[in-house]
Amino acid sequence: MSSADAVIREAAWLVDFNAVDGLPALHASQGGPFDVVQAYLPRTPQQRRPQLYVIRRRLQEVRTAHVRRMARHWFELRVVWPTSSPSGAAEGPQQALDDAVELVLQRIGGLMLDKTHGGRFLSVAEDPAEVTVEYSDPTESLPNRADLLCAISYAADDVETNG
């Protein structure tokens, strides 16, 4: 594993679905709420589609012992949620965004007693106090029929290496 592929590994965890483990699906092809779940922001995002992008906000090399070090990644999930709804009401898309965020938080939380995201990391979101969700102000989006936005942030520790 390399710190360079951490964003790809985390996106793989978010899109990976196994109905047996009890974690929710996020991608629409598996019954989840997002049409797009991918690593990195595209140059031209899709329009009017629920989207989730994994980006890395920070990378820190942590010295864990004299000759051991560990990469700590701060991930941000950018959520783009369309404001259109069949009823035309603004409340529906806001509630749908909250519902989708709840599924993402369950997925980030991982399996009971396993915070490795399927062995992709040493631990992810181990401290729930460090998992944050920040919503953009909907009063700016709704009048312009623009998308609702939020960012979910958390840290992941990679496996230790000699160095």
Side-chain angles (χ1 to χ4, degrees), residues 91-102:
E91 297 86 348
Q94 292 174 81
Q95 180 61 59
L97 172 59
D98 282 340
D99 294 341
V101 167
E102 176 60 27

Side-chain angles (χ1 to χ4, degrees), residues 57-121:
R57 299 294 295 164
R58 196 165 106 196
L59 169 63
Q60 178 184 14
E61 287 284 329
V62 178
R63 178 94 31 209
T64 58
H66 179 63
V67 296
R68 304 286 290 164
R69 63 188 178 134
M70 175 181 62
R72 179 166 292 147
H73 313 277
W74 275 268
F75 291 123
E76 181 177 300
L77 305 183
R78 296 256 177 108
V79 177
V80 180
W81 198 264
T83 57
S84 57
S85 73
S87 69
E91 297 86 348
Q94 292 174 81
Q95 180 61 59
L97 172 59
D98 282 340
D99 294 341
V101 167
E102 176 60 27
L103 296 177
V104 173
L105 293 175
Q106 290 175 28
R107 187 92 198 148
I108 291 168
L111 300 167
M112 178 81 73
L113 303 175
D114 181 5
K115 299 293 185 185
T116 67
H117 282 193
R120 291 171 176 88
F121 297 93

